[in-house]
Amino acid sequence: VLSSVAIFAGLGKSAKDHHPSANRVSVVVLPVENLSGSAEFNRLADDLTEEAISRLSALNPEQFGITARTTAVQYRNSQKTAAEIGRELQVDYIVEGCLRADGDHIRVTGRIVRTNDQSYIWTHSFDLRETDQSTLDTFGTAIVEQIQKSMPQN
């Protein structure tokens, strides 16, 4: 699913004024794209996006900065490159995702892109038969595990 931060250190500070620790990973979760062609899957795409943001936001904020959903949503269907988004939001990684459906078969693909070189560092597809909470949990957990692995080692 899958994109961080114009995190503000306090009210009135801009992203330029914020200087995160060198060991802090900043991430934006872009809205999961519904490639199914059916509006009935828009809710699932939104739920997957929200789950990834919620899971990542629960991590230590001193180590992980997660861009607000309301900021990330402006990049829905954007034609901007990963590098452009990275510069604009001052993020290290973008989480992106898409879902496709064929009959009762749903495939959700999540990806993590390193913004400085625009390369994928992880991608994984999940084949679903049902759209229940375990689907969201699996997607969210996989994203968190991969982002944690990306943390610079001290």
Side-chain angles (χ1 to χ4, degrees), residues 36 51 59 63 65 70 75 81 93 99 102 105 127 144 151:
S36 72
E51 185 67 20
L59 298 174
Q63 293 180 315
T70 52
Y75 293 95
T81 67
Y93 298 97
L99 69 85
D102 182 19
H105 180 256
D127 290 320
V144 166
M151 272 298 295

Side-chain angles (χ1 to χ4, degrees), residues 4 38 46 53 87 105 111 122:
S4 181
S38 174
D46 290 344
I53 291 170
R87 278 190 303 276
H105 180 256
R111 296 181 187 95
W122 175 82

Side-chain angles (χ1 to χ4, degrees), residues 9 19 27 29 44 48 59 62 65 70 96 99 113 115-116 123 133 151-152:
H19 300 288
V27 180
V29 179
L44 176 58
L48 289 163
L59 298 174
E62 296 302 314
T70 52
E96 59 184 24
L99 69 85
V113 181
T115 59
N116 67 354
T123 186
Q133 186 60 43
M151 272 298 295

Side-chain angles (χ1 to χ4, degrees), residues 51-73:
E51 185 67 20
I53 291 170
S54 294
R55 293 286 181 112
L56 288 168
S57 296
L59 298 174
N60 181 344
E62 296 302 314
Q63 293 180 315
F64 299 95
I66 312 304
T67 300
R69 181 190 57 77
T70 52
T71 300
V73 76

Side-chain angles (χ1 to χ4, degrees), residues 11-132:
L11 291 176
K13 287 192 174 186
S14 71
K16 290 190 289 192
D17 298 329
H18 181 69
H19 300 288
S21 155
N23 290 332
R24 187 169 191 235
V25 173
S26 55
V27 180
V28 64
V29 179
L30 297 180
V32 171
E33 291 182 74
N34 174 5
L35 302 178
S36 72
S38 174
E40 74 179 278
F41 292 104
N42 288 341
R43 172 71 187 258
L44 176 58
D46 290 344
D47 288 350
L48 289 163
T49 303
E50 185 62 32
E51 185 67 20
I53 291 170
S54 294
R55 293 286 181 112
L56 288 168
S57 296
L59 298 174
N60 181 344
E62 296 302 314
Q63 293 180 315
F64 299 95
I66 312 304
T67 300
R69 181 190 57 77
T70 52
T71 300
V73 76
Q74 71 181 315
Y75 293 95
R76 183 184 308 271
N77 301 319
S78 174
Q79 298 302 307
K80 293 186 178 190
T81 67
E84 290 170 323
I85 294 170
R87 278 190 303 276
E88 288 176 14
L89 297 178
Q90 299 180 4
V91 296
D92 303 306
Y93 298 97
I94 295 172
V95 175
E96 59 184 24
C98 64
L99 69 85
R100 295 171 299 214
D102 182 19
D104 66 345
H105 180 256
I106 302 167
R107 175 167 276 192
V108 176
T109 302
R111 296 181 187 95
I112 300 173
V113 181
R114 186 174 39 234
T115 59
N116 67 354
D117 64 1
Q118 303 185 78
S119 64
Y120 288 114
I121 63 164
W122 175 82
T123 186
H124 188 77
S125 292
F126 306 86
D127 290 320
L128 315 174
R129 294 281 179 209
E130 298 178 19
T131 57
D132 59 12

